[in-house]
């Protein structure tokens, strides 16, 4: 089975959870043994793992150029010069009017989330038309709203089934203050999709109720975690004597509810001074949170180390006694699973999708700062309780693997290609919940 997959992020360049999920899903699919994934992204760095084919959308031509092989053969990151010439044969319109074309007739991408993001999304979808004409594939899989237009275009060109993967909706990102442009892109992708994979039942219900999608084509497809590498397993924790560390790790932005973490921290510090609070991450609310901590007189107990990546993330988990994810709306949330892998008990909001598959965590409403403070205080002061949650959580998360997710996605692909999606009673019974 050959899958043409569109994504915006992929490790080692990680801007958020989308890169982590894209890696996990493609790795899980590769472990099925008979799935070949071609992953198309705006601007790979060249250090991506080689278990799948990467197509660099910055080096797919949309305008014909007479270039010599010897002059370009060493310029490619991702696909090859041979691929370039094959793509060039499938340019379907005259795009010479477009701004920013290089000497190979390609449109460059900044990578990440630049100020002209909507222009890049549109350019990405134009290039998808070239790939849909030149690649051999059985179905299309598009991740998140940024690549939905590319997925729709590829479907229109090829007639192949389209699966879209909803990692979050604008209802999650905006606390309900939806951007109408983003909403229209999301809804158009969903309307054209043959299958909509949602990272949780929480997200599935949003897709059904807010985007008016047929429940029969919407599937809850929870995320997972990779096993810890030996490097990360061997990290030696650096604990502070006689003090506990409570950590928030993620974007410091409205969706993640950082202000509730500050409020809970204030309540905990009224009961004990032997706790420090770590805000690991960056975001548009970071300065506001620093000011709020100062206003509450707890700035000396709050630390803001900034954005963490790679080994830093796991050092942060290992050095923490409690992890808290107070998200207002979290479609899934991989961070608590990563913390649990490191033996760090997690407290999550009841508004988090990962809570649907996790038992050995503490769950509170994001707005209930007293319950959150009680949970933090209990884990920081009751050693027996802390040990139990840490040990049972580790056992639980070890069973949540990307290989299992890959198997489930493969089952969905099979149903999609069999064209019996809505009529297969066994499928509806086992997978649509």
């Amino acid at each position: 089975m050959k899958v043409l997959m569109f994504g915006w992020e992929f490790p080692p360049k990680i801007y958020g959870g989308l890169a982590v999920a894209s890696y996990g899903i493609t790795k899980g699919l590769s472990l099925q043994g008979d799935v070949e994934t071609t992953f198309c992204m705006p601007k790979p760095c060249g250090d991506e793992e080689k278990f799948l084919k990467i197509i660099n959308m910055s080096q797919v031509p949309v305008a014909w150029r007479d270039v010599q092989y010897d002059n370009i053969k060493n310029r490619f990151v991702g696909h090859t010069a041979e691929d370039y010439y094959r793509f060039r044969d499938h340019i379907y319109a005259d795009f010479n009017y477009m701004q920013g074309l290089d000497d190979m007739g390609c449109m460059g991408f900044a990578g990440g989330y630049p100020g002209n993001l909507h222009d890049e999304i549109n350019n990405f979808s134009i290039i998808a038309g070239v790939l849909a004409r030149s690649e051999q594939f059985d179905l299309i899989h598009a991740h998140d709203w940024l690549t939905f237009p590319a997925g729709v275009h590829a479907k229109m060109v090829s007639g192949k089934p389209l699966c879209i993967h909803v990692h979050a909706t604008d209802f999650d990102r905006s606390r309900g203050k939806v951007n109408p442009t983003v909403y229209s892109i999301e809804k158009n992708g969903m309307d054209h999709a043959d299958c909509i994979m949602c990272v949780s039942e929480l997200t599935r219900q949003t897709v059904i109720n807010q985007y008016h999608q047929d429940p029969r084509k919407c599937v809850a497809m929870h995320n997972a975690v990779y096993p810890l590498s030996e490097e990360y397993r061997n990290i030696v924790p650096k604990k502070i004597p006689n003090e506990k560390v409570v950590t928030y790790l993620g974007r410091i932005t409205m969706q993640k509810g950082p202000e509730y973490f500050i409020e809970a921290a204030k309540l905990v510090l009224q009961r004990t001074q032997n706790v420090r609070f770590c805000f690991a991450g960056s975001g548009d609310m970071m300065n506001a949170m620093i000011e709020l901590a100062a206003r509450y007189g707890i700035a000396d107990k709050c630390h803001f180390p900034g954005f963490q990546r790679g080994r830093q993330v796991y050092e942060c988990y290992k050095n923490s006694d409690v992890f808290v994810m107070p998200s207002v709306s979290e479609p899934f949330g991989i961070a608590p699973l990563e913390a649990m892998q490191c033996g760090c008990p997690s407290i999550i909001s009841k508004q988090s999708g990962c809570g649907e598959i996790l038992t050995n965590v503490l769950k509170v409403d994001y707005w209930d700062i007293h319950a959150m403070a009680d949970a933090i205080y209990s884990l920081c002061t009751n050693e027996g309780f802390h040990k139990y949650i840490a040990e049972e959580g580790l056992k639980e998360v070890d069973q949540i693997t990307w290989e299992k997710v890959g198997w489930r996605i493969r089952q969905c692909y099979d149903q999609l290609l069999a064209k019996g999606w809505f009529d297969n009673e066994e499928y509806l019974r086992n997978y649509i919940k």
Side-chain angles (χ1 to χ4, degrees), residues 191-208:
D191 289 344
H192 284 87
D194 300 285
C195 168
I196 303 174
M197 293 185 186
C198 309
V199 292
S200 63
E201 180 61 27
L202 180 72
T203 302
R204 179 174 176 266
Q205 291 302 320
T206 299
V207 167
I208 292 168

